Amino acid sequence: MDCVFCKIRDGELPAEFEYRDDHVMVFKDLNPVAPYHYLVVPTEHIESINQAGAAAAESLTNLFLAAEHVAKKLGFEKNGYRCVINTGANAGQVVMHLHMHLLAGREFSWPPG
Amino acid sequence: MDCVFCKIRDGELPAEFEYRDDHVMVFKDLNPVAPYHYLVVPTEHIESINQAGAAAAESLTNLFLAAEHVAKKLGFEKNGYRCVINTGANAGQVVMHLHMHLLAGREFSWPPG
């Protein structure tokens, strides 16, 4: 499969990992829009929240636990952070492997895009 | 407790519900920033992702299942939608009861705030 995140998982493309376990990986976004900008990605290839129903929703539990872990490790959990999941074209989902943006280190405006 | 979302849950404040079960409620945001703008909220009062660890993360599974259900019911799952969770002051979390914004019906720009 020609999926960038699967290639990162398999070591075929480099990434700056901040956290990794059997279910989830957290690495830096190559085009950061905040002082802290990580991608939180299930190791399993799931296209989006739409595709996989309960399985995808359960994997989101792991995504949020990983995000919380990184927020506490890097010390931005108190000032706050924004989590964003884009699904489909209108939202601007570019890589068709489910992922969450974890953004921190500045104030975030409203609306969120 | 003086929590707006708990009052909505208990029927003490009105809201336009789109979906509701024992674990989660989905109702319209009073200040919409998109043609579809819902709040997806656990019925249990959890302050934020930070506060409750695994319990909060598991309740997020229910939030995403409810979001997916509403996306399909209202027919915007194909064009796409953006899910946003704000935690803490930097992200602009106003109501201290965990909630996810479900946004759809237009294109969303980047960065997300």
Side-chain angles (χ1 to χ4, degrees):
Chain A
M1 256 187 323
D2 198 36
C3 169
V4 171
F5 293 165
C6 287
K7 287 183 176 174
I8 286 175
R9 176 198 61 211
D10 297 338
E12 296 167 17
L13 284 174
E16 282 192 65
F17 283 92
E18 185 59 45
Y19 176 77
R20 185 167 195 172
D21 64 26
D22 287 345
H23 305 290
V24 59
M25 46 192 178
V26 183
F27 51 83
K28 286 188 180 174
D29 192 296
L30 284 180
N31 300 110
V33 299
Y36 297 100
H37 185 171
Y38 290 95
L39 295 174
V40 186
V41 184
T43 52
E44 183 189 357
H45 184 89
I46 297 167
E47 187 169 309
S48 76
I49 309 171
N50 273 339
Q51 306 304 309
E58 279 172 31
S59 94
L60 287 159
T61 298
N62 293 319
L63 300 198
F64 279 96
L65 285 172
E68 185 189 353
H69 174 79
V70 168
K72 288 180 176 167
K73 180 179 172 189
L74 299 179
F76 58 71
E77 88 280 12
K78 282 184 185 155
N79 289 331
Y81 50 96
R82 178 166 286 178
C83 295
V84 179
I85 297 182
N86 295 320
T87 303
N90 262 358
Q93 184 180 8
V94 179
V95 178
M96 297 313 284
H97 179 143
L98 174 61
H99 56 286
M100 179 170 78
H101 294 267
L102 171 60
L103 301 148
R106 63 170 173 85
E107 292 189 3
F108 295 94
S109 59
W110 199 252
Chain B
M1 256 187 324
D2 199 33
C3 169
V4 171
F5 292 165
C6 287
K7 288 183 176 176
I8 286 174
R9 176 196 63 212
D10 297 339
E12 296 168 16
L13 284 174
E16 281 192 65
F17 283 93
E18 186 57 47
Y19 177 77
R20 184 166 194 174
D21 65 26
D22 286 347
H23 304 291
V24 59
M25 48 192 176
V26 183
F27 51 84
K28 286 188 179 174
D29 192 296
L30 284 180
N31 301 109
V33 298
Y36 297 101
H37 186 171
Y38 291 94
L39 296 173
V40 186
V41 184
T43 52
E44 184 189 357
H45 184 91
I46 296 168
E47 188 169 308
S48 76
I49 310 172
N50 273 338
Q51 306 302 309
E58 280 172 31
S59 94
L60 287 160
T61 298
N62 294 319
L63 300 198
F64 279 97
L65 286 173
E68 186 189 353
H69 173 80
V70 168
K72 288 181 175 166
K73 181 178 172 189
L74 298 180
F76 58 71
E77 88 280 12
K78 282 183 184 157
N79 288 331
Y81 51 94
R82 179 166 285 177
C83 295
V84 179
I85 297 182
N86 295 319
T87 303
N90 262 359
Q93 185 180 8
V94 179
V95 178
M96 298 312 284
H97 180 141
L98 174 61
H99 57 287
M100 179 170 78
H101 294 267
L102 172 61
L103 301 148
R106 64 171 173 86
E107 290 189 3
F108 295 93
S109 61
W110 200 252

